[in-house]
Amino acid sequence: MILTAGQVEYNEIANYIDVRYVSAPEAMWRLLGSHMHGRSHAVMRLPVHLPNQKRVMFKNGNEEEAARSRQTMLESWFQLNQSDPDAQTLLYTDIPYNYVYDRNNWKRRKRGGNKIVARMYVVNVKDAKRFYIRMLLLHVPGATSFKFLRTVNNVIYDTFKQAAFHRHLLNSDEEWDHCLHDASTYQMPKQLRQTFAFILCFCNPTNVLELWNKYSIDMSLDYLRNNIEAASWNLALHDINATFGQHGLSCASIGLPVPTGNAIEVQPYNQDEEREESEQRISSLNREQLAAFETITTAIGNNNENNRYFFGWPWRFWQNFSLFNIIIFHSG
């Protein structure tokens, strides 16, 4: 730190050198000109991405050209396996030990394979599609395409998760099936929905849809009292989706049916009963109430009118008579 004309000049490098302590072994090491550090192995990071979702660098206006011409290491590995029989016996993570990546292509390595450490990028289990692609890449050698990864015993599955399951890379859901079966015997439907949501959030079961289909009625019993099955299941899915939302997930990302509409339970009513009650209440209105009732109901029935009405009497007076009658009248 130097004071110059009343100003402070701070030289961080000079201060570091001035206060640095060099021990005798380090001083001798430096005097002999020995290397202070070195690198033994090169770490090669292997990308994992979904079809048509690779990262590409481009200049403005060259987006499509860059996407077509630029191949990732994964896509180049697919291409290599289509023409090189030796590469077809290797996993994605084994390729860097035998091939070198040069100009968007894998070329056979001549030397240095023992100085490489290959690592695939880690994928969070919540990113389900990429997670199962990574799992397949760790166990399937010689893949020639993403479709190849989804193929097991000549059967092409719709998702990478299904392919991983049929390759016996995933455990069965027997444990979670037993858990939900036991919970359904003593838990209320709301508690059962929460248990189901927590299992899906933190335990990563294999066949989510099968568990839902098996216990959907148990999880919807409270809604089934007043709704049909489809509406009850939809309301139950809304509750489950709300629990997912607290953990950054959704029914769509988990693999459950996506709930529709709003999470509002609509209570059914009988139109004949509503009409009968409306007639009884209308007959009990006094002259002022009946006039207000007829004016408002006429305006409601006439879509061309754009009128607003204000109750001048005490609210309790109108609440007990006119307003409630209007609601029942239109319900019936």
Side-chain angles (χ1 to χ4, degrees), residues 22-315:
V22 179
S23 63
E26 182 182 350
M28 180 57 68
W29 192 267
R30 289 180 177 275
L31 289 173
L32 295 176
S34 301
H35 294 291
M36 298 300 297
H37 57 81
R39 187 181 71 174
S40 62
H41 290 70
V43 179
M44 179 167 286
R45 297 173 296 178
L46 302 174
V48 181
H49 61 83
L50 294 172
N52 300 322
Q53 293 189 20
K54 59 185 178 182
R55 289 188 176 184
V56 179
M57 298 181 64
F58 55 86
K59 295 182 180 180
N60 291 335
N62 297 329
E63 295 87 349
E64 295 183 2
E65 181 181 355
R68 289 194 302 267
S69 60
R70 178 75 176 179
Q71 281 190 328
T72 64
M73 290 184 178
L74 180 57
E75 291 174 330
S76 298
W77 179 59
F78 290 153
Q79 186 176 1
L80 175 68
N81 291 328
Q82 296 173 10
S83 58
D84 192 334
D86 294 334
Q88 295 174 2
T89 62
L90 301 175
L91 294 170
Y92 183 40
T93 51
D94 294 333
I95 286 294
Y97 301 106
N98 300 276
Y99 294 80
V100 61
Y101 190 69
D102 181 36
R103 297 181 181 179
N104 300 332
N105 290 291
W106 290 103
K107 299 179 181 179
R108 191 175 296 275
R109 183 181 291 277
K110 296 180 180 179
R111 61 182 181 275
N114 59 334
K115 295 293 184 179
I116 294 293
V117 177
R119 291 289 183 268
M120 263 197 295
Y121 282 100
V122 176
V123 179
N124 194 303
V125 68
K126 292 183 179 180
D127 189 357
K129 293 181 180 179
R130 289 179 62 235
F131 178 81
Y132 291 110
I133 287 179
R134 187 179 189 275
M135 180 180 292
L136 290 168
L137 291 173
L138 288 170
H139 295 87
V140 180
T144 57
S145 64
F146 288 104
K147 184 178 179 180
F148 185 99
L149 292 175
R150 291 189 287 108
T151 304
V152 183
N153 296 328
N154 296 324
V155 178
I156 303 174
Y157 292 95
D158 295 331
T159 65
F160 297 103
K161 183 176 181 179
Q162 292 176 348
F165 176 77
H166 287 88
R167 286 186 181 273
H168 307 290
L169 301 178
L170 300 176
N171 296 324
S172 67
D173 293 335
E174 185 177 0
E175 179 181 357
W176 313 122
D177 189 4
H178 290 327
C179 176
L180 290 171
H181 180 268
D182 293 341
S184 64
T185 61
Y186 63 88
Q187 284 189 345
M188 298 297 289
K190 182 177 181 179
Q191 294 174 310
L192 186 60
R193 290 193 291 268
Q194 291 179 340
T195 301
F196 178 70
F198 290 149
I199 289 176
L200 268 56
C201 283
F202 303 111
C203 303
N204 196 31
T206 302
N207 199 329
V208 173
L209 195 57
E210 183 177 337
L211 290 175
W212 161 253
N213 291 334
K214 187 172 183 178
Y215 295 100
S216 57
I217 294 180
D218 294 308
M219 289 186 280
S220 310
L221 286 177
D222 51 346
Y223 293 126
L224 281 170
R225 291 177 299 180
N226 299 316
N227 300 275
I228 61 175
E229 281 190 352
S232 301
W233 294 340
N234 190 61
L235 291 169
L237 285 170
H238 271 293
D239 289 350
I240 294 170
N241 196 51
T243 304
F244 287 157
Q246 299 173 4
H247 304 281
L249 299 172
S250 66
C251 286
S253 64
I254 289 291
L256 284 176
V258 179
T260 59
N262 298 321
I264 301 176
E265 182 180 5
V266 179
Q267 299 291 345
Y269 61 89
N270 188 302
Q271 287 189 341
D272 295 333
E273 293 179 357
E274 297 290 332
R275 187 179 297 107
E276 182 179 352
E277 183 178 358
S278 173
E279 293 174 354
Q280 293 177 357
R281 288 181 173 273
I282 292 173
S283 63
S284 65
L285 297 178
N286 60 32
R287 185 177 58 185
E288 290 83 1
Q289 292 171 345
L290 183 61
F293 172 79
E294 291 177 347
T295 301
I296 295 174
T297 53
T298 301
I300 294 175
N302 189 352
N303 295 328
N304 296 326
E305 293 189 13
N306 186 16
N307 298 324
R308 294 179 177 85
Y309 298 93
F310 299 90
F311 293 113
W313 287 67
W315 167 244

